[in-house]
Amino acid sequence: MERTAYILLAAVAVVWIIVMVAGLVVAFPVGVIGLVVIFALGLLFIKALKERLASKEDDHYDKNVEK
């Protein structure tokens, strides 16, 4: 049930981003600013995700520290 909810949320997020990018393309040249912002946020998200996946210290705390 939880997995289905995550899949639905991910699908809606992807569709929303596609529609937003399409709207920014239609609003050319002002929409280019929004496209650059979306691209920059995407790069920062990928960087943060890569750092988190490579961090052995975070994995240690996830496995060994009580919540």
Side-chain angles (χ1 to χ4, degrees), residues 44-56:
L44 289 173
F45 177 74
I46 291 169
K47 179 183 179 281
L49 190 62
K50 283 173 54 175
E51 287 178 358
R52 171 57 189 99
L53 291 175
S55 175
K56 294 181 183 191

Side-chain angles (χ1 to χ4, degrees), residues 22-44:
L24 290 171
V25 169
V26 170
F28 187 81
V30 177
V32 172
I33 297 168
L35 289 174
V36 170
V37 169
I38 292 171
F39 183 71
L41 289 173
L43 289 176
L44 289 173

Side-chain angles (χ1 to χ4, degrees), residues 3-20:
R3 184 175 176 177
T4 304
Y6 283 128
I7 291 171
L8 287 172
L9 285 174
V12 169
V14 168
V15 170
W16 181 64
I17 290 171
I18 291 170
V19 169
M20 189 169 44

